Amino acid sequence: MIAIGKYNKLRIAAKNNQGLSLTDGTEEVLLPFTEVPNGINLGDDVEAFIYLNKDGSTVATLKEVLATADEFALLTVVSVNDDGAFLDIGIDKDIFVPKREQKKPMELGESYVVFVYVDEFSNKLLASSKVDQFVELHNFDFEEGDAVDLLIVDKSDLGYNAIINNEFIGLLYHNEVFSVIEPGQRTTGWIKKIRMEGKIDLTLQPSGFGHILETKDYILEELRIVGEINLGDKSTPEEIYNRFQVSKSAFKKAIGGLYKERLITLSDHQIKLV
């Protein structure tokens, strides 16, 4: 069955006066001549994105879209009316966000992280910026300490909400962020804590003894090159992150280990090789 809002592997079955007929062996869909690239022939297999056009008929495109159904993505508003907003997904047909599905009123030219889905009644592609209602709240497929893919959603009083592996949602607290991050940014993060109520705390720093060992080695190598580093126990988290891209906690554990091994001397704002 051909899936709307997704890429489908289809075969070019025939040519008619409107374009090419694509089939999965059971159903057929039109690839309009305006969407037909050079160099494809009858019998070829193609990956086609399927959607409903303005008159409600099913059509295909071979263009690369910015988001498919059941995905979270950062999309830009290209028009606004009394009923909602339209977002660009890279094809001639924009995707609609009804007003009831807007976390806050969308503005022309602004970009928002949304969830793309197929409406069960109309079969049309829609989107929602109320991403919380589209995430899985249980059955986590990761454990504390695991590396995960993050999509930054928005900023809150506590920190940054982020989509985890396109399925769950978690929070990056402000004190876990030492560089500029923006909504729509994709990055690697780590699961810091899974709370009893199912909420997930995130960090941008790997945790565990292995990470501390790597940080120790890196600091020691820097010291062998420059002799001393103007950072110490009293340095700010931002200063530490700008130099070594690690949290202050990881930095203190690393230099504490080096100090115990009598490899360095420490002061509030300086480290030296012994």
PDB file of all heavy atoms in Angstrom, residues 96-127:
ATOM      1  N   PHE A  96       0.322  22.526   6.337  1.00  0.00           N
ATOM      2  CA  PHE A  96      -0.540  23.403   7.128  1.00  0.00           C
ATOM      3  C   PHE A  96      -0.434  23.088   8.620  1.00  0.00           C
ATOM      4  O   PHE A  96      -0.404  21.922   9.024  1.00  0.00           O
ATOM      5  CB  PHE A  96      -1.993  23.228   6.670  1.00  0.00           C
ATOM      6  CG  PHE A  96      -2.969  24.147   7.344  1.00  0.00           C
ATOM      7  CD1 PHE A  96      -2.812  25.525   7.307  1.00  0.00           C
ATOM      8  CD2 PHE A  96      -4.075  23.630   8.020  1.00  0.00           C
ATOM      9  CE1 PHE A  96      -3.720  26.372   7.918  1.00  0.00           C
ATOM     10  CE2 PHE A  96      -4.982  24.466   8.642  1.00  0.00           C
ATOM     11  CZ  PHE A  96      -4.814  25.841   8.589  1.00  0.00           C
ATOM     12  N   VAL A  97      -0.385  24.148   9.434  1.00  0.00           N
ATOM     13  CA  VAL A  97      -0.431  24.031  10.893  1.00  0.00           C
ATOM     14  C   VAL A  97      -1.682  24.765  11.375  1.00  0.00           C
ATOM     15  O   VAL A  97      -1.709  26.003  11.397  1.00  0.00           O
ATOM     16  CB  VAL A  97       0.803  24.644  11.574  1.00  0.00           C
ATOM     17  CG1 VAL A  97       0.778  24.363  13.078  1.00  0.00           C
ATOM     18  CG2 VAL A  97       2.090  24.121  10.965  1.00  0.00           C
ATOM     19  N   PRO A  98      -2.742  24.039  11.746  1.00  0.00           N
ATOM     20  CA  PRO A  98      -3.955  24.717  12.244  1.00  0.00           C
ATOM     21  C   PRO A  98      -3.637  25.535  13.495  1.00  0.00           C
ATOM     22  O   PRO A  98      -2.703  25.225  14.231  1.00  0.00           O
ATOM     23  CB  PRO A  98      -4.898  23.549  12.576  1.00  0.00           C
ATOM     24  CG  PRO A  98      -4.360  22.382  11.805  1.00  0.00           C
ATOM     25  CD  PRO A  98      -2.882  22.583  11.733  1.00  0.00           C
ATOM     26  N   LYS A  99      -4.422  26.566  13.748  1.00  0.00           N
ATOM     27  CA  LYS A  99      -4.184  27.412  14.922  1.00  0.00           C
ATOM     28  C   LYS A  99      -4.201  26.601  16.211  1.00  0.00           C
ATOM     29  O   LYS A  99      -3.436  26.863  17.133  1.00  0.00           O
ATOM     30  CB  LYS A  99      -5.234  28.518  14.978  1.00  0.00           C
ATOM     31  CG  LYS A  99      -4.822  29.779  14.239  1.00  0.00           C
ATOM     32  CD  LYS A  99      -5.707  30.947  14.621  1.00  0.00           C
ATOM     33  CE  LYS A  99      -5.129  32.237  14.031  1.00  0.00           C
ATOM     34  NZ  LYS A  99      -5.964  33.420  14.370  1.00  0.00           N
ATOM     35  N   ARG A 100      -5.083  25.606  16.274  1.00  0.00           N
ATOM     36  CA  ARG A 100      -5.194  24.797  17.495  1.00  0.00           C
ATOM     37  C   ARG A 100      -3.946  23.956  17.742  1.00  0.00           C
ATOM     38  O   ARG A 100      -3.741  23.455  18.846  1.00  0.00           O
ATOM     39  CB  ARG A 100      -6.419  23.880  17.413  1.00  0.00           C
ATOM     40  CG  ARG A 100      -6.320  22.809  16.347  1.00  0.00           C
ATOM     41  CD  ARG A 100      -7.517  21.890  16.311  1.00  0.00           C
ATOM     42  NE  ARG A 100      -7.344  20.839  15.321  1.00  0.00           N
ATOM     43  CZ  ARG A 100      -7.614  20.936  14.042  1.00  0.00           C
ATOM     44  NH1 ARG A 100      -8.088  22.089  13.565  1.00  0.00           N
ATOM     45  NH2 ARG A 100      -7.425  19.933  13.213  1.00  0.00           N
ATOM     46  N   GLU A 101      -3.106  23.797  16.717  1.00  0.00           N
ATOM     47  CA  GLU A 101      -1.894  22.998  16.843  1.00  0.00           C
ATOM     48  C   GLU A 101      -0.641  23.857  16.998  1.00  0.00           C
ATOM     49  O   GLU A 101       0.473  23.355  16.904  1.00  0.00           O
ATOM     50  CB  GLU A 101      -1.733  22.075  15.624  1.00  0.00           C
ATOM     51  CG  GLU A 101      -2.781  20.981  15.536  1.00  0.00           C
ATOM     52  CD  GLU A 101      -2.702  20.006  16.704  1.00  0.00           C
ATOM     53  OE1 GLU A 101      -1.622  19.873  17.303  1.00  0.00           O
ATOM     54  OE2 GLU A 101      -3.732  19.368  17.023  1.00  0.00           O
ATOM     55  N   GLN A 102      -0.821  25.151  17.259  1.00  0.00           N
ATOM     56  CA  GLN A 102       0.319  26.050  17.445  1.00  0.00           C
ATOM     57  C   GLN A 102       0.543  26.289  18.935  1.00  0.00           C
ATOM     58  O   GLN A 102      -0.348  26.770  19.631  1.00  0.00           O
ATOM     59  CB  GLN A 102       0.075  27.369  16.727  1.00  0.00           C
ATOM     60  CG  GLN A 102      -0.043  27.217  15.216  1.00  0.00           C
ATOM     61  CD  GLN A 102      -0.306  28.527  14.509  1.00  0.00           C
ATOM     62  OE1 GLN A 102       0.006  29.603  15.024  1.00  0.00           O
ATOM     63  NE2 GLN A 102      -0.884  28.452  13.324  1.00  0.00           N
ATOM     64  N   LYS A 103       1.737  25.971  19.406  1.00  0.00           N
ATOM     65  CA  LYS A 103       2.066  26.188  20.810  1.00  0.00           C
ATOM     66  C   LYS A 103       2.010  27.667  21.145  1.00  0.00           C
ATOM     67  O   LYS A 103       1.587  28.058  22.237  1.00  0.00           O
ATOM     68  CB  LYS A 103       3.463  25.615  21.100  1.00  0.00           C
ATOM     69  CG  LYS A 103       3.855  25.630  22.562  1.00  0.00           C
ATOM     70  CD  LYS A 103       5.181  24.915  22.773  1.00  0.00           C
ATOM     71  CE  LYS A 103       5.577  24.909  24.246  1.00  0.00           C
ATOM     72  NZ  LYS A 103       6.868  24.172  24.449  1.00  0.00           N
ATOM     73  N   LYS A 104       2.455  28.482  20.228  1.00  0.00           N
ATOM     74  CA  LYS A 104       2.287  29.928  20.306  1.00  0.00           C
ATOM     75  C   LYS A 104       2.036  30.414  18.883  1.00  0.00           C
ATOM     76  O   LYS A 104       2.398  29.720  17.918  1.00  0.00           O
ATOM     77  CB  LYS A 104       3.518  30.604  20.908  1.00  0.00           C
ATOM     78  CG  LYS A 104       4.795  30.418  20.125  1.00  0.00           C
ATOM     79  CD  LYS A 104       5.952  31.139  20.806  1.00  0.00           C
ATOM     80  CE  LYS A 104       7.233  30.987  19.992  1.00  0.00           C
ATOM     81  NZ  LYS A 104       8.380  31.687  20.604  1.00  0.00           N
ATOM     82  N   PRO A 105       1.368  31.559  18.705  1.00  0.00           N
ATOM     83  CA  PRO A 105       1.042  32.023  17.352  1.00  0.00           C
ATOM     84  C   PRO A 105       2.281  32.090  16.462  1.00  0.00           C
ATOM     85  O   PRO A 105       3.291  32.693  16.826  1.00  0.00           O
ATOM     86  CB  PRO A 105       0.438  33.413  17.588  1.00  0.00           C
ATOM     87  CG  PRO A 105      -0.103  33.355  18.977  1.00  0.00           C
ATOM     88  CD  PRO A 105       0.849  32.480  19.741  1.00  0.00           C
ATOM     89  N   MET A 106       2.194  31.463  15.310  1.00  0.00           N
ATOM     90  CA  MET A 106       3.324  31.438  14.391  1.00  0.00           C
ATOM     91  C   MET A 106       3.393  32.720  13.576  1.00  0.00           C
ATOM     92  O   MET A 106       2.359  33.283  13.198  1.00  0.00           O
ATOM     93  CB  MET A 106       3.224  30.232  13.460  1.00  0.00           C
ATOM     94  CG  MET A 106       3.441  28.909  14.176  1.00  0.00           C
ATOM     95  SD  MET A 106       3.421  27.501  13.039  1.00  0.00           S
ATOM     96  CE  MET A 106       4.133  26.227  14.082  1.00  0.00           C
ATOM     97  N   GLU A 107       4.616  33.150  13.306  1.00  0.00           N
ATOM     98  CA  GLU A 107       4.833  34.394  12.582  1.00  0.00           C
ATOM     99  C   GLU A 107       5.535  34.140  11.260  1.00  0.00           C
ATOM    100  O   GLU A 107       6.381  33.249  11.149  1.00  0.00           O
ATOM    101  CB  GLU A 107       5.667  35.360  13.436  1.00  0.00           C
ATOM    102  CG  GLU A 107       5.014  35.733  14.754  1.00  0.00           C
ATOM    103  CD  GLU A 107       5.863  36.685  15.580  1.00  0.00           C
ATOM    104  OE1 GLU A 107       6.874  37.199  15.046  1.00  0.00           O
ATOM    105  OE2 GLU A 107       5.518  36.910  16.757  1.00  0.00           O
ATOM    106  N   LEU A 108       5.168  34.928  10.264  1.00  0.00           N
ATOM    107  CA  LEU A 108       5.739  34.803   8.928  1.00  0.00           C
ATOM    108  C   LEU A 108       7.257  34.951   8.969  1.00  0.00           C
ATOM    109  O   LEU A 108       7.790  35.873   9.588  1.00  0.00           O
ATOM    110  CB  LEU A 108       5.138  35.867   8.012  1.00  0.00           C
ATOM    111  CG  LEU A 108       5.602  35.866   6.552  1.00  0.00           C
ATOM    112  CD1 LEU A 108       5.155  34.590   5.859  1.00  0.00           C
ATOM    113  CD2 LEU A 108       5.050  37.091   5.821  1.00  0.00           C
ATOM    114  N   GLY A 109       7.963  34.014   8.327  1.00  0.00           N
ATOM    115  CA  GLY A 109       9.417  34.074   8.243  1.00  0.00           C
ATOM    116  C   GLY A 109      10.144  33.413   9.392  1.00  0.00           C
ATOM    117  O   GLY A 109      11.350  33.184   9.305  1.00  0.00           O
ATOM    118  N   GLU A 110       9.420  33.099  10.478  1.00  0.00           N
ATOM    119  CA  GLU A 110      10.048  32.437  11.616  1.00  0.00           C
ATOM    120  C   GLU A 110      10.051  30.924  11.411  1.00  0.00           C
ATOM    121  O   GLU A 110       9.241  30.384  10.661  1.00  0.00           O
ATOM    122  CB  GLU A 110       9.312  32.779  12.915  1.00  0.00           C
ATOM    123  CG  GLU A 110       9.385  34.248  13.303  1.00  0.00           C
ATOM    124  CD  GLU A 110      10.801  34.688  13.613  1.00  0.00           C
ATOM    125  OE1 GLU A 110      11.547  33.914  14.237  1.00  0.00           O
ATOM    126  OE2 GLU A 110      11.159  35.815  13.225  1.00  0.00           O
ATOM    127  N   SER A 111      10.972  30.245  12.100  1.00  0.00           N
ATOM    128  CA  SER A 111      11.082  28.786  11.997  1.00  0.00           C
ATOM    129  C   SER A 111      10.722  28.141  13.331  1.00  0.00           C
ATOM    130  O   SER A 111      11.046  28.684  14.401  1.00  0.00           O
ATOM    131  CB  SER A 111      12.503  28.386  11.592  1.00  0.00           C
ATOM    132  OG  SER A 111      12.831  28.915  10.323  1.00  0.00           O
ATOM    133  N   TYR A 112      10.076  26.985  13.264  1.00  0.00           N
ATOM    134  CA  TYR A 112       9.608  26.293  14.459  1.00  0.00           C
ATOM    135  C   TYR A 112       9.857  24.795  14.316  1.00  0.00           C
ATOM    136  O   TYR A 112       9.764  24.245  13.208  1.00  0.00           O
ATOM    137  CB  TYR A 112       8.106  26.529  14.666  1.00  0.00           C
ATOM    138  CG  TYR A 112       7.717  27.983  14.766  1.00  0.00           C
ATOM    139  CD1 TYR A 112       7.440  28.718  13.616  1.00  0.00           C
ATOM    140  CD2 TYR A 112       7.644  28.622  15.997  1.00  0.00           C
ATOM    141  CE1 TYR A 112       7.086  30.066  13.694  1.00  0.00           C
ATOM    142  CE2 TYR A 112       7.288  29.971  16.092  1.00  0.00           C
ATOM    143  CZ  TYR A 112       7.011  30.685  14.930  1.00  0.00           C
ATOM    144  OH  TYR A 112       6.674  32.006  15.010  1.00  0.00           O
ATOM    145  N   VAL A 113      10.150  24.154  15.436  1.00  0.00           N
ATOM    146  CA  VAL A 113      10.225  22.695  15.443  1.00  0.00           C
ATOM    147  C   VAL A 113       8.804  22.164  15.543  1.00  0.00           C
ATOM    148  O   VAL A 113       8.043  22.547  16.441  1.00  0.00           O
ATOM    149  CB  VAL A 113      11.076  22.175  16.613  1.00  0.00           C
ATOM    150  CG1 VAL A 113      10.995  20.657  16.701  1.00  0.00           C
ATOM    151  CG2 VAL A 113      12.535  22.602  16.437  1.00  0.00           C
ATOM    152  N   VAL A 114       8.435  21.300  14.609  1.00  0.00           N
ATOM    153  CA  VAL A 114       7.080  20.753  14.552  1.00  0.00           C
ATOM    154  C   VAL A 114       7.132  19.246  14.367  1.00  0.00           C
ATOM    155  O   VAL A 114       8.167  18.684  13.986  1.00  0.00           O
ATOM    156  CB  VAL A 114       6.266  21.380  13.394  1.00  0.00           C
ATOM    157  CG1 VAL A 114       6.077  22.867  13.602  1.00  0.00           C
ATOM    158  CG2 VAL A 114       6.940  21.100  12.047  1.00  0.00           C
ATOM    159  N   PHE A 115       6.000  18.618  14.634  1.00  0.00           N
ATOM    160  CA  PHE A 115       5.828  17.204  14.311  1.00  0.00           C
ATOM    161  C   PHE A 115       4.937  17.122  13.088  1.00  0.00           C
ATOM    162  O   PHE A 115       3.870  17.744  13.027  1.00  0.00           O
ATOM    163  CB  PHE A 115       5.196  16.442  15.473  1.00  0.00           C
ATOM    164  CG  PHE A 115       5.025  14.970  15.212  1.00  0.00           C
ATOM    165  CD1 PHE A 115       6.109  14.116  15.293  1.00  0.00           C
ATOM    166  CD2 PHE A 115       3.784  14.449  14.876  1.00  0.00           C
ATOM    167  CE1 PHE A 115       5.971  12.759  15.044  1.00  0.00           C
ATOM    168  CE2 PHE A 115       3.629  13.089  14.632  1.00  0.00           C
ATOM    169  CZ  PHE A 115       4.725  12.245  14.719  1.00  0.00           C
ATOM    170  N   VAL A 116       5.357  16.360  12.090  1.00  0.00           N
ATOM    171  CA  VAL A 116       4.611  16.197  10.844  1.00  0.00           C
ATOM    172  C   VAL A 116       3.814  14.895  10.913  1.00  0.00           C
ATOM    173  O   VAL A 116       4.341  13.864  11.307  1.00  0.00           O
ATOM    174  CB  VAL A 116       5.566  16.180   9.640  1.00  0.00           C
ATOM    175  CG1 VAL A 116       4.798  15.960   8.346  1.00  0.00           C
ATOM    176  CG2 VAL A 116       6.363  17.489   9.576  1.00  0.00           C
ATOM    177  N   TYR A 117       2.546  14.959  10.542  1.00  0.00           N
ATOM    178  CA  TYR A 117       1.706  13.762  10.618  1.00  0.00           C
ATOM    179  C   TYR A 117       0.644  13.794   9.517  1.00  0.00           C
ATOM    180  O   TYR A 117       0.373  14.832   8.916  1.00  0.00           O
ATOM    181  CB  TYR A 117       1.043  13.651  11.994  1.00  0.00           C
ATOM    182  CG  TYR A 117       0.079  14.771  12.331  1.00  0.00           C
ATOM    183  CD1 TYR A 117      -1.290  14.622  12.155  1.00  0.00           C
ATOM    184  CD2 TYR A 117       0.551  15.999  12.823  1.00  0.00           C
ATOM    185  CE1 TYR A 117      -2.175  15.652  12.467  1.00  0.00           C
ATOM    186  CE2 TYR A 117      -0.320  17.026  13.145  1.00  0.00           C
ATOM    187  CZ  TYR A 117      -1.686  16.850  12.963  1.00  0.00           C
ATOM    188  OH  TYR A 117      -2.555  17.863  13.267  1.00  0.00           O
ATOM    189  N   VAL A 118       0.057  12.642   9.257  1.00  0.00           N
ATOM    190  CA  VAL A 118      -1.033  12.524   8.291  1.00  0.00           C
ATOM    191  C   VAL A 118      -2.347  12.561   9.057  1.00  0.00           C
ATOM    192  O   VAL A 118      -2.572  11.747   9.962  1.00  0.00           O
ATOM    193  CB  VAL A 118      -0.931  11.222   7.471  1.00  0.00           C
ATOM    194  CG1 VAL A 118      -2.125  11.093   6.533  1.00  0.00           C
ATOM    195  CG2 VAL A 118       0.372  11.189   6.682  1.00  0.00           C
ATOM    196  N   ASP A 119      -3.217  13.506   8.721  1.00  0.00           N
ATOM    197  CA  ASP A 119      -4.524  13.611   9.373  1.00  0.00           C
ATOM    198  C   ASP A 119      -5.369  12.386   9.039  1.00  0.00           C
ATOM    199  O   ASP A 119      -5.531  12.027   7.863  1.00  0.00           O
ATOM    200  CB  ASP A 119      -5.233  14.881   8.911  1.00  0.00           C
ATOM    201  CG  ASP A 119      -6.577  15.057   9.572  1.00  0.00           C
ATOM    202  OD1 ASP A 119      -6.613  15.288  10.785  1.00  0.00           O
ATOM    203  OD2 ASP A 119      -7.588  14.939   8.860  1.00  0.00           O
ATOM    204  N   GLU A 120      -5.895  11.732  10.084  1.00  0.00           N
ATOM    205  CA  GLU A 120      -6.611  10.472   9.884  1.00  0.00           C
ATOM    206  C   GLU A 120      -7.929  10.649   9.148  1.00  0.00           C
ATOM    207  O   GLU A 120      -8.480   9.674   8.612  1.00  0.00           O
ATOM    208  CB  GLU A 120      -6.857   9.777  11.222  1.00  0.00           C
ATOM    209  CG  GLU A 120      -7.676  10.585  12.210  1.00  0.00           C
ATOM    210  CD  GLU A 120      -7.865   9.857  13.523  1.00  0.00           C
ATOM    211  OE1 GLU A 120      -7.718   8.626  13.532  1.00  0.00           O
ATOM    212  OE2 GLU A 120      -8.152  10.522  14.537  1.00  0.00           O
ATOM    213  N   PHE A 121      -8.465  11.865   9.113  1.00  0.00           N
ATOM    214  CA  PHE A 121      -9.752  12.087   8.444  1.00  0.00           C
ATOM    215  C   PHE A 121      -9.587  12.533   6.994  1.00  0.00           C
ATOM    216  O   PHE A 121     -10.303  12.071   6.110  1.00  0.00           O
ATOM    217  CB  PHE A 121     -10.570  13.130   9.212  1.00  0.00           C
ATOM    218  CG  PHE A 121     -10.873  12.722  10.636  1.00  0.00           C
ATOM    219  CD1 PHE A 121     -10.225  13.324  11.694  1.00  0.00           C
ATOM    220  CD2 PHE A 121     -11.793  11.715  10.896  1.00  0.00           C
ATOM    221  CE1 PHE A 121     -10.497  12.948  12.996  1.00  0.00           C
ATOM    222  CE2 PHE A 121     -12.072  11.318  12.200  1.00  0.00           C
ATOM    223  CZ  PHE A 121     -11.424  11.939  13.256  1.00  0.00           C
ATOM    224  N   SER A 122      -8.623  13.437   6.743  1.00  0.00           N
ATOM    225  CA  SER A 122      -8.469  13.993   5.395  1.00  0.00           C
ATOM    226  C   SER A 122      -7.324  13.375   4.599  1.00  0.00           C
ATOM    227  O   SER A 122      -7.249  13.564   3.385  1.00  0.00           O
ATOM    228  CB  SER A 122      -8.235  15.503   5.484  1.00  0.00           C
ATOM    229  OG  SER A 122      -6.978  15.777   6.105  1.00  0.00           O
ATOM    230  N   ASN A 123      -6.417  12.642   5.282  1.00  0.00           N
ATOM    231  CA  ASN A 123      -5.211  12.088   4.652  1.00  0.00           C
ATOM    232  C   ASN A 123      -4.223  13.162   4.219  1.00  0.00           C
ATOM    233  O   ASN A 123      -3.246  12.870   3.525  1.00  0.00           O
ATOM    234  CB  ASN A 123      -5.548  11.196   3.446  1.00  0.00           C
ATOM    235  CG  ASN A 123      -5.711   9.747   3.850  1.00  0.00           C
ATOM    236  OD1 ASN A 123      -5.330   9.352   4.949  1.00  0.00           O
ATOM    237  ND2 ASN A 123      -6.282   8.951   2.977  1.00  0.00           N
ATOM    238  N   LYS A 124      -4.458  14.403   4.651  1.00  0.00           N
ATOM    239  CA  LYS A 124      -3.532  15.480   4.305  1.00  0.00           C
ATOM    240  C   LYS A 124      -2.394  15.538   5.320  1.00  0.00           C
ATOM    241  O   LYS A 124      -2.553  15.174   6.476  1.00  0.00           O
ATOM    242  CB  LYS A 124      -4.270  16.816   4.286  1.00  0.00           C
ATOM    243  CG  LYS A 124      -5.280  16.949   3.156  1.00  0.00           C
ATOM    244  CD  LYS A 124      -5.938  18.326   3.177  1.00  0.00           C
ATOM    245  CE  LYS A 124      -6.931  18.471   2.026  1.00  0.00           C
ATOM    246  NZ  LYS A 124      -7.595  19.805   2.042  1.00  0.00           N
ATOM    247  N   LEU A 125      -1.259  16.026   4.836  1.00  0.00           N
ATOM    248  CA  LEU A 125      -0.126  16.243   5.728  1.00  0.00           C
ATOM    249  C   LEU A 125      -0.369  17.501   6.542  1.00  0.00           C
ATOM    250  O   LEU A 125      -0.652  18.570   5.987  1.00  0.00           O
ATOM    251  CB  LEU A 125       1.164  16.415   4.925  1.00  0.00           C
ATOM    252  CG  LEU A 125       2.010  15.174   4.637  1.00  0.00           C
ATOM    253  CD1 LEU A 125       3.262  15.596   3.886  1.00  0.00           C
ATOM    254  CD2 LEU A 125       2.381  14.431   5.896  1.00  0.00           C
ATOM    255  N   LEU A 126      -0.258  17.380   7.872  1.00  0.00           N
ATOM    256  CA  LEU A 126      -0.375  18.518   8.767  1.00  0.00           C
ATOM    257  C   LEU A 126       0.851  18.550   9.675  1.00  0.00           C
ATOM    258  O   LEU A 126       1.646  17.605   9.691  1.00  0.00           O
ATOM    259  CB  LEU A 126      -1.648  18.419   9.614  1.00  0.00           C
ATOM    260  CG  LEU A 126      -2.986  18.404   8.875  1.00  0.00           C
ATOM    261  CD1 LEU A 126      -4.128  18.251   9.875  1.00  0.00           C
ATOM    262  CD2 LEU A 126      -3.173  19.663   8.043  1.00  0.00           C
ATOM    263  N   ALA A 127       0.974  19.627  10.434  1.00  0.00           N
ATOM    264  CA  ALA A 127       2.080  19.726  11.388  1.00  0.00           C
ATOM    265  C   ALA A 127       1.572  20.382  12.662  1.00  0.00           C
ATOM    266  O   ALA A 127       0.553  21.079  12.670  1.00  0.00           O
ATOM    267  CB  ALA A 127       3.243  20.526  10.804  1.00  0.00           C
TER     268      ALA A 127
END
